[in-house]
């Protein structure tokens, strides 16, 4: 090495080195090695397109095809999103007591970017936000990379994963900038009642906190559950709603989401400005899908959505009934989203001491890929994705049950 080369010392940024998503780390790597003699059953990632059994609506496909054929949306849009797309979102998500217009909508590159924009607009390094535990890991990625802290409030499995409101209230301090609510829940599969949403809002109102509500699984409910958009039942607190087409419309790869600002009292004026300025970083999301968005939101038939929820009801019932037969497992019934958590009593298992060992050994021996709960801050749980065809779910559950019986401690 020459003397000149020896002086080079190129460092990466703090933010760049702290963007590790623990889900992708496992899913995209070879950390879990399958049994080569068994087909891998991947119930580990919430991509509704993976198995091919839940295709996108023909309405959505034709809408995008028409946009491409027309050439009318090959241009840049406004960085906050095109007028027609924002108007379509506002029309779809206005409620009797919480009406919005296109001026209240920001189109983003998926719901993940909507979340990123909201957290960035509200939180400086050293501040914090309240977030549910268990919860989706993308929030931790955003917090870590920006040196923002998370104050976790617990969700209570014995109460249908409702939030511990007393604990939530106690976690607020002078550096708290927002309260995050995820409904329906990934990874819990819970759906909040109107009354519980209103009780959460009372905590936010008491402390003058805006609510960031993640509703990417809006209306993905079953077993008789009813989804209540937070903005439809709460008007006393400003709300930043994050959602998109990924889950309800089964098109995650189209990377189209939005932030809707519900703020009748105009308490978020500065935050609106910050959101608009953040959108300038990428000059706006995909123009083609924006062009198709009015048709997708307005013309997709209810039967399309019903097919998805009927499927999730069937696979969730199958998973619950299968896992409930094993003494060391405690599945929790799911009513929304695309996931189920089951608890594991490791004291009843031989040589398996935590959720990571459970998930990795299950993959090693049975080629069933589930995610350890620690990824979601739930270390004594394991997550099942409910999207697979019924026959694959049945096989996966049979293998999981056999695995547990094989490793159960023998009675003395």
């Amino acid at each position: 090495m020459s003397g000149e080369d020896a002086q080079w010392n190129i460092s990466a940024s703090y933010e760049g080195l702290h963007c590790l998503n623990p889900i992708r780390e496992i899913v995209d790597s070879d950390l879990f090695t399958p049994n080569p003699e068994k087909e891998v059953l991947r119930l580990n990632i919430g991509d509704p397109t993976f198995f091919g059994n839940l295709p996108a609506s023909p309405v959505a496909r034709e809408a995008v095809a028409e946009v491409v054929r027309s050439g009318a949306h090959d241009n840049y849009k406004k960085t906050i999103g095109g007028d027609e797309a924002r108007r379509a979102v506002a029309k779809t998500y206005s409620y009797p007591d919480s009406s919005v217009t296109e001026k209240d909508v920001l189109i983003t590159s998926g719901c993940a970017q909507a979340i990123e924009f909201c957290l960035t607009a509200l939180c400086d390094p050293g501040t914090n936000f309240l977030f549910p535990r268990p919860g989706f890991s993308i929030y931790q990625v955003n917090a870590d990379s920006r040196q923002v802290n998370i104050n976790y409030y617990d969700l209570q499995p014995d109460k249908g994963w409702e939030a511990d409101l007393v604990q939530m209230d106690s976690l607020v301090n002078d550096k708290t900038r927002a309260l995050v609510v995820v409904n329906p829940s990934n990874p819990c599969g819970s759906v909040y009642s109107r009354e519980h949403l209103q009780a959460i809002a009372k905590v936010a109102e008491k402390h003058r906190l805006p609510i960031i509500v993640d509703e990417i699984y809006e209306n993905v409910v079953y077993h008789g559950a009813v989804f209540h958009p937070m903005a439809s039942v709460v008007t006393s607190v400003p709300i930043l709603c994050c959602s998109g087409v990924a889950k309800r419309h089964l098109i995650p790869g189209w990377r189209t989401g939005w932030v809707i600002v519900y703020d009748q009292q105009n308490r978020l004026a500065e935050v609106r400005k910050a959101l608009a300025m953040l959108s300038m970083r990428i000059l706006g999301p995909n123009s083609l899908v924006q062009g198709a968005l009015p048709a997708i939101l307005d013309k997709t038939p209810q039967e399309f959505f019903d097919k998805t929820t009927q499927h999730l009801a069937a696979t969730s019932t199958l998973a619950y009934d299968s896992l409930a037969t094993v003494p060391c497992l405690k599945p929790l019934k799911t009513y929304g989203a695309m996931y189920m958590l089951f608890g594991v009593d490791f004291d009843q298992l031989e040589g398996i001491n935590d959720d990571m060992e459970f998930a990795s050994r299950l993959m090693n021996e049975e080629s069933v890929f589930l995610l350890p709960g620690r990824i979601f801050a739930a270390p004594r749980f394991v997550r099942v994705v409910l999207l697979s065809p019924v026959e694959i779910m049945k096989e996966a559950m049979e293998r999981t049950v056999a695995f547990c019986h094989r490793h159960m401690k023998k009675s003395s």
Side-chain angles (χ1 to χ4, degrees):
M1 180 182 295
S2 69
E4 182 179 346
D5 287 340
Q7 297 175 19
W8 283 69
N9 183 19
I10 302 174
S11 300
S13 70
Y14 180 95
E15 182 172 352
L17 292 174
H18 289 79
C19 285
L20 180 63
N21 186 330
I23 294 181
R24 302 309 311 189
E25 182 183 24
I26 290 179
V27 170
D28 294 341
S29 74
D30 297 323
L31 291 176
F32 286 15
T33 304
N35 181 339
E37 297 182 0
K38 295 189 176 185
E39 178 186 1
V40 178
L41 306 180
R42 296 185 177 276
L43 308 185
N44 60 305
I45 188 168
D47 183 348
T49 72
F50 181 79
F51 292 99
N53 59 316
L54 296 171
S57 165
V59 169
R61 294 189 187 281
E62 180 54 33
V64 168
E66 177 56 33
V67 164
V68 173
R69 286 193 293 264
S70 73
H73 296 275
D74 294 344
N75 57 310
Y76 283 123
K77 303 291 186 184
K78 294 177 181 177
T79 61
I80 58 173
D83 291 346
E84 291 182 2
R86 290 185 295 119
R87 197 172 296 123
V89 171
K91 177 184 175 183
T92 303
Y93 297 97
S94 281
Y95 309 108
D97 294 326
S98 297
S99 180
V100 289
T101 72
E102 66 268 24
K103 294 180 180 179
D104 302 305
V105 177
L106 176 80
I107 306 295
T108 60
S109 183
C111 186
Q113 188 177 67
I115 292 165
E116 177 188 3
F117 279 4
C118 289
L119 293 176
T120 304
L122 286 164
C123 299
D124 286 316
T127 63
N128 66 71
F129 61 90
L130 306 189
F131 184 70
R133 177 172 56 198
F136 187 47
S137 60
I138 196 71
Y139 290 86
Q140 184 70 59
V141 176
N142 275 285
D144 288 347
S145 64
R146 290 176 173 79
Q147 302 181 70
V148 172
N149 300 311
I150 298 181
N151 292 353
Y152 287 98
Y153 62 88
D154 290 325
L155 305 183
Q156 304 166 98
D158 57 337
K159 295 183 178 180
W161 296 111
E162 286 190 343
D164 184 334
L165 298 175
V166 174
Q167 180 199 38
M168 178 190 289
D169 181 77
S170 72
L171 292 171
V172 179
N173 58 42
D174 62 354
K175 293 187 180 297
T176 305
R177 297 294 179 263
L179 165 59
V180 177
V181 177
V182 182
N183 180 52
S185 170
N186 173 13
C188 302
S190 55
V191 183
Y192 288 155
S193 67
R194 173 191 297 267
E195 293 74 21
H196 192 58
L197 290 170
Q198 291 171 335
I200 290 172
K202 287 186 182 299
V203 176
E205 184 176 13
K206 173 183 175 181
H207 295 284
R208 305 296 187 262
L209 294 175
I211 293 176
I212 300 172
V213 61
D214 182 340
E215 293 182 345
I216 189 62
Y217 294 98
E218 40 128 340
N219 287 307
V220 183
V221 296
Y222 36 93
H223 295 325
V226 177
F227 170 69
H228 298 284
M230 177 157 270
S232 72
V233 299
V234 172
T235 58
S236 59
V237 178
I239 295 170
L240 297 167
C241 177
C242 302
S243 192
V245 299
K247 306 300 184 178
R248 178 162 162 77
H249 291 270
L250 309 179
I251 42 179
W254 293 19
R255 308 311 304 138
T256 301
W258 48 78
V259 179
I260 308 174
V261 182
Y262 297 94
D263 181 29
Q264 296 178 6
Q265 294 80 17
N266 199 32
R267 294 163 176 162
L268 293 175
E270 190 170 279
V271 175
R272 288 174 185 267
K273 181 179 179 181
L275 289 169
M277 295 179 74
L278 284 165
S279 74
M280 298 178 189
R281 285 183 173 181
I282 65 163
L283 302 181
N286 188 296
S287 293
L288 296 177
V289 183
Q290 287 190 65
L293 197 55
I296 293 171
L297 295 180
D298 186 54
K299 296 181 180 179
T300 302
Q302 184 59 42
E303 306 88 77
F304 169 79
F305 304 120
D306 291 343
K307 179 182 176 182
T308 302
T309 53
Q310 289 164 7
H311 177 80
L312 292 169
T315 53
S316 66
T317 297
L318 196 163
Y320 180 87
D321 290 347
S322 299
L323 298 172
T325 65
V326 184
C328 67
L329 302 184
K330 185 179 180 180
L332 290 111
K333 289 185 177 181
T334 183
Y335 295 91
M338 301 170 171
Y339 315 96
M340 174 182 289
L341 284 179
F342 63 87
V344 183
D345 182 356
F346 297 106
D347 291 336
Q348 296 188 50
L349 294 173
E350 191 74 54
I352 299 177
N353 301 304
D354 58 37
D355 57 305
M356 185 66 79
E357 288 186 2
F358 184 100
S360 61
R361 293 278 295 276
L362 180 63
M363 183 65 159
N364 299 157
E365 298 177 24
E366 296 290 347
S367 294
V368 175
F369 201 168
L370 307 181
L371 287 182
R374 68 182 57 191
I375 290 175
F376 310 99
R380 298 191 67 82
F381 290 85
V382 175
R383 191 189 76 167
V384 182
V385 174
L386 303 172
L387 293 164
S388 73
V390 169
E391 58 272 19
I392 291 179
M393 179 63 69
K394 183 174 184 295
E395 175 68 19
M397 292 302 99
E398 289 175 353
R399 293 189 199 179
T400 302
V401 168
F403 169 83
C404 291
H405 283 306
R406 191 163 61 246
H407 291 284
M408 290 281 286
K409 289 180 178 177
K410 304 297 186 288
S411 301
S412 57

